[in-house]
Amino acid sequence: MHGASGASPRPFTDTFGGRLTGSLAVLGVVLAIALGLPALNLMIPGIEDVGGARVELGHGVWFTAPENTSRDVGHDRPNTVQLTVDDALVTATTRAYQRSAQDFAEAVREELKSRPGLQLTGSERSFATAAGVPGVRLEFHSPSQEGYLLILVHNGIAVDVTVSGNGRRGPEDGTYARLDDALATLTFDEARP
Amino acid sequence: MTGETYDVRPTPPDSTQWFDPRNPALWVFIALALPGLWLLSGSVRIAFTAYPSAATAAAVLFTAYTVPFIIVLRRLDYLEREPPVLTAMAFGWGGVVASMAAVDGGHAVQGMLAKLVSPTFAATWGPAIGPPAIEEVLKALGVVLVVLLARAHVNSTVDGFVYGAFVGLGFQVVEDFVYAVGATAWSRGGDDIAPVISTFIVRGFLTGLWSHTVFTALAGGGIAYAVVNTRLPMARRFGVAAGAVGAAIAAHALWNSPLLRDGFGFGGIGIVGALFIKGLPVFLLVWFLFSRAYRTEAAYYGEQLAQYDGTPLVRPGELTALLSYREREAARRHAQSLKGRKGTRAAQAVRRLQHLQTRLSVLSSRYPESPKWVLETLQNPPTHQWLQSERARLGGLAARRELPPARRREQLHRVAVQRCVVDLLAQRSRLEHLDLPVAVGTNQKRSPMAPWALGLAVLGVLVPGAGAFAIVAALMATRGHLPSDGLAVAAFAVGALTTTGWLLAFVLLRLGAG
């Protein structure tokens, strides 16, 4: 009566050895993708020295990177650039945005409340680029890192730059000062968005 | 028997339950699902804490979104339905294991492309290279794991399509939820649900039909083909499975590629047109392949049932009606067309009869002694009293535990078949009392308005309000008697769905604005 007639051998998947081999192969492929590929990505060098160069952050926003700045192109995402300045990690993101820097900052404050361990210190400092674009600077800390978030909105484009240290104390004062100077060089393409 | 062979392998009578602690596949599933669940729950918790309204709206919308998919998949899997627990595991694999494992792997491929080729290339073509390969392989592994867990329940290529679709659906729903809440976070406008609604419309309506569910169904069909056709050369089986997974990757890559992204320069309408051009052929290909596999499966199960043709179990014409979705629905609509409450009762009886006929067909494929057991039962006159007493007797037999395992198993099989026959005879008697001796449809003339109604309903996906006109058109086409025309039923259903979707979107946007 069965459509699949004929004395075919017992299928591989019907034996314990077959199931074990198959299951381990599935496990191996999943682990290779979830853990192996990121490990492989780390092993491939992709760091370039961009100290002193003009770097585009996306949406026509540029800034002059301070000396001793490197960029890992493997960590770039659309409209997101990641840089290392001395001991500080700098992540800059740009997007189209029609509200104010204060609205942006408020949204960030609300979001950070949901992140366990990460807290805003409550300290906010005003900031302005050399061209006079004002920004909001929020300082944060967590058990493992310390840093600040700089938000600027101009001509329908928002830029948020997160600066964090590799250690609990955050970047050194000298790094902060050099970054402040570099971030003041931020320029917006007036012809956009 | 004709001697013809099919790519259908019924579940063997002595097959063990799928839940077997000695099966390593079960432990691999658990070992991967637990960390995946931990990662997913962490993301979901953050989403609900940071954006409670947006996350709730996304969860409600995309949970509701899965319901029609599940209904359609269960309908497509009509003849030999997969165990709900296995389909739930397939859904879980897609939503928990594959989606979580794909995140870091996808970023890694993007990073490697940026380093090895160029950041510009990675930004442009990365989405068409990394995610398709990684996600399709991870999802296809879900179907492989189902095979390792319960090969006895992967009986045909159709089953692979079904399990694959469930894996893809799980992945799609979780990804859609993450994208929707991510859109709210990215907008930096607070706990705003407008980005969730936009995501729902774009990812749910415009692109949802040819997304992960369809891609993984294709891969699953290929894997099941390789599993079921054990008599074919290994190279061919492997080639079909690999080709199906490769085709799923290619379809996904085309979808993610920057090709036609500008919509031919025609703005929004052009972009929607491009979405159809990139997605519709894949959907049609999968539908074509599924239909072929379905016909093979239907031929096999039809042959199982053909041996009872002419008995009260299967009246002439019913076999043909049972094996085709259209004919099945036509038989139900014909029953529904009886006047008043009689129509509803008759339609229910036809639905139940068809379900029992497919069950008898599947049982007959699993237990070779079935014809003998069926004939034994048919020797008795199917009076109402006998049917009731026989049903009670068989129910008591099923509960007996004092028999040796082999004898008990045989008795369970016999009881399952005979109970199915008794239930079938009861439904037949019910239908005869309703003056419907045969459960078949009639060739009714279709209203020329019905196709227009369906066109309007489809237009309702893009144009708010068109769905409501489609509902009216469908009712006018059938003069208020909707069940008489399948096309009108489809127009009514799609119209109702799109109208509800737009109303929901409108209400949620108003609430969000408030």
Side-chain angles (χ1 to χ4, degrees), chain A residues 127-135 150 152 154 180-188:
Chain A
F127 176 90
T129 66
V133 177
L150 177 66
L152 299 105
H154 178 66
D180 283 349
D181 292 343
L183 290 170
T185 68
L186 272 166
T187 57
F188 290 77

Side-chain angles (χ1 to χ4, degrees), chain A residues 1-9 11-16 18-48 59 71-80 93-97 99-100 103-108 110-116 149 160, chain B residues 1 3-6 8-13 16 20 22-26 28 31-32 45-46 49-51 93 97 100-102 104-112 114-116 119 123 133-134 137-138 141 144-145 147-152 185-190 192 227-228 230-231 300 303-304 307 364-368 371:
Chain A
M1 180 62 69
H2 293 179
S5 57
S8 52
F12 174 73
T13 48
D14 282 3
T15 63
F16 178 79
R19 285 173 177 161
L20 181 65
T21 310
S23 303
L24 290 177
V26 169
L27 181 67
V29 176
V30 173
L31 293 180
I33 289 173
L35 306 175
L37 286 175
L40 192 63
N41 184 32
L42 287 176
M43 289 162 63
I44 299 172
I47 295 173
E48 53 186 43
H59 286 94
R71 175 182 184 173
D72 187 347
V73 294
H75 280 106
D76 283 356
R77 302 275 171 271
N79 299 314
T80 299
T93 304
T94 59
R95 72 194 79 193
Y97 193 71
R99 303 181 200 205
S100 68
D103 289 340
F104 196 114
E106 184 55 35
V108 171
E110 286 300 314
E111 186 180 297
L112 289 186
K113 281 181 190 169
S114 66
R115 304 222 173 244
L149 183 74
D160 65 287
Chain B
M1 282 301 297
E4 195 179 350
T5 56
Y6 307 96
V8 176
R9 295 185 71 83
T11 306
T16 52
D20 180 4
R22 293 165 301 177
N23 189 341
L26 182 66
V28 165
L32 291 171
R45 189 168 48 78
I46 287 175
T49 312
Y51 307 103
W93 177 275
V97 179
M100 292 298 105
D104 287 342
H107 287 160
V109 172
Q110 184 86 0
M112 284 190 274
K115 292 173 186 175
L116 298 173
I134 285 174
V137 167
L138 282 170
L141 289 177
V144 172
L145 204 79
V147 171
L148 292 166
L149 270 169
R151 201 206 68 81
W186 180 256
S187 74
R188 289 287 183 236
D192 183 11
V227 168
V228 172
T230 50
R231 292 169 307 99
Y300 174 74
E303 192 159 321
Q304 302 301 316
Q307 58 195 316
S364 299
S365 74
R366 288 182 185 172
Y367 314 134

Side-chain angles (χ1 to χ4, degrees), chain A residues 86-169:
Chain A
D86 293 336
D87 58 339
L89 187 66
V90 180
T91 307
T93 304
T94 59
R95 72 194 79 193
Y97 193 71
Q98 300 304 326
R99 303 181 200 205
S100 68
Q102 282 66 32
D103 289 340
F104 196 114
E106 184 55 35
V108 171
R109 272 191 215 98
E110 286 300 314
E111 186 180 297
L112 289 186
K113 281 181 190 169
S114 66
R115 304 222 173 244
L118 200 63
Q119 287 187 327
L120 292 171
T121 59
S123 166
E124 290 183 19
R125 286 200 281 168
S126 58
F127 176 90
T129 66
V133 177
V136 179
R137 187 171 138 157
L138 309 173
E139 295 185 359
F140 66 82
H141 71 86
S142 76
S144 60
Q145 61 176 359
E146 192 170 288
Y148 68 84
L149 183 74
L150 177 66
I151 299 158
L152 299 105
V153 178
H154 178 66
N155 198 24
I157 299 295
V159 185
D160 65 287
V161 183
T162 306
V163 176
S164 60
N166 294 325
R168 193 175 289 183
R169 294 177 56 198

